[in-house]
């Protein structure tokens, strides 16, 4: 069963580097003359992320998200219209905004000193992964779901969920049936269900 909601097209999520990323993004929007259409501040006792959106063009939104729970901030361009977002992404790429490279994202996984650090890096990698499957990221996620630590395996699954890559559908089904930890199996099952509802991996 596929989702009944209108599909939202998006660019890659670009992880931001600097602690002042909100100010940098706001300056970029002001320079480009984009109109702010959403400003949702972080509530004191809420885990909801900080969100700001600007309209780049009719139906094209430039979004900034800062999620304290995931220790992650990123920018992404979205649209519910069937349009090519490449031209809008090129504005972002050429803006000079400090964003994380693939190398730095993957290095943070390899250099993690603790399961907690590795888990956080895996989730960030899923959020910032390319739109199309990339073997470097795939190897990191597959290694994670085979890790001895159930927490690392769960975070590997979270990364897979954020990446939304079709080839991982079969892996999610396998983990849901075979993992030794009930919480890991349950999370894999929920991820597989989410993929199915979104039509990911469906013919």
């Amino acid at each position: 069963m596929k989702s009944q909601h209108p599909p939202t097209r998006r660019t890659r999520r670009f992880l931001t580097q600097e602690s002042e990323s909100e100010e940098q993004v706001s300056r970029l929007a002001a320079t480009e003359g984009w109109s702010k259409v959403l400003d949702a501040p972080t509530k004191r006792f809420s885990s909801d992320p900080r969100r700001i959106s600007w309209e780049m063009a009719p139906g094209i939104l430039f979004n900034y998200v800062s999620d304290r729970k995931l220790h992650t901030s990123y920018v992404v361009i979205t649209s519910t219209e069937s349009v090519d977002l490449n031209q809008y992404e090129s504005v972002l790429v050429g803006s000079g905004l400090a964003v994380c490279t693939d190398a730095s994202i993957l290095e943070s996984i390899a250099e993690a000193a603790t399961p907690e650090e590795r888990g956080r890096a895996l989730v960030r990698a899923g959020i910032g992964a390319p739109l199309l499957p990339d073997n470097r990221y795939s190897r990191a996620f597959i290694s994670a779901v085979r890790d001895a630590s159930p927490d690392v395996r769960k975070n590997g699954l979270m990364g897979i969920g954020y990446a939304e890559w079709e080839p991982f559908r079969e892996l999610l089904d396998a983990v849901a049936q075979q993992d030794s930890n009930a919480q890991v199996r349950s999370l894999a099952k929920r991820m597989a269900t989410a993929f199915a509802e979104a039509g990911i991996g469906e013919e």
Side-chain angles (χ1 to χ4, degrees):
M1 178 179 176
K2 297 189 178 182
S3 172
Q4 299 302 308
H5 298 290
T8 298
R9 295 173 179 268
R10 68 171 176 88
T11 63
R12 178 180 186 166
R13 305 180 194 98
F14 293 88
L15 301 184
T16 54
Q17 293 181 355
E18 307 295 336
S19 58
E20 298 85 11
S21 56
E22 181 177 332
E23 287 75 13
Q24 291 184 11
V25 171
S26 295
R27 285 197 296 271
L28 171 60
T31 299
E32 296 290 337
W34 301 330
S35 301
K36 185 182 290 185
V37 294
L38 173 70
D39 191 339
T42 303
K43 297 178 181 177
R44 185 174 180 183
F45 299 108
S46 172
S47 61
D48 292 342
R50 168 87 166 113
R51 295 179 181 275
I52 316 175
S53 297
W54 294 265
E55 190 172 58
M56 303 176 74
I60 310 295
L61 296 182
F62 177 79
N63 309 276
Y64 169 78
V65 179
S66 178
D67 193 320
R68 292 183 302 182
K69 184 178 179 181
L70 300 178
H71 304 272
T72 301
S73 297
Y74 63 87
V75 291
V76 61
I77 299 169
T78 59
S79 176
T80 55
E81 305 296 327
S82 180
V83 295
D84 183 0
L85 295 177
N86 287 338
Q87 62 177 312
Y88 300 100
E89 181 176 341
S90 66
V91 174
L92 189 162
V93 172
S95 68
L97 190 67
V99 297
C100 298
T101 63
D102 288 315
S104 66
I105 293 171
L106 294 164
E107 282 172 10
S108 68
I109 300 174
E111 296 174 357
T114 66
E116 181 182 15
E117 288 181 4
R118 187 178 178 204
R120 185 180 303 155
L122 284 161
V123 174
R124 282 175 50 82
I127 294 171
L131 288 181
L132 298 177
D134 181 307
N135 286 336
R136 297 168 299 171
Y137 285 80
S138 295
R139 285 193 292 268
F141 294 139
I142 291 170
S143 175
V145 299
R146 295 172 176 167
D147 195 87
S149 167
D151 287 337
V152 170
R153 299 203 298 276
K154 285 189 286 186
N155 283 301
L157 291 171
M158 291 292 292
I160 288 171
Y162 277 111
E164 300 177 318
W165 291 342
E166 181 178 328
F168 280 124
R169 177 72 183 276
E170 185 176 340
L171 177 62
L172 290 173
D173 289 335
V175 174
Q177 296 177 32
Q178 300 170 11
D179 196 273
S180 60
N181 183 279
Q183 291 184 342
V184 175
R185 292 196 303 273
S186 177
L187 178 58
K189 185 175 181 180
R190 293 198 303 273
M191 290 291 179
T193 298
F195 271 44
E197 291 177 347
I200 300 170
E202 299 282 330
E203 294 295 334

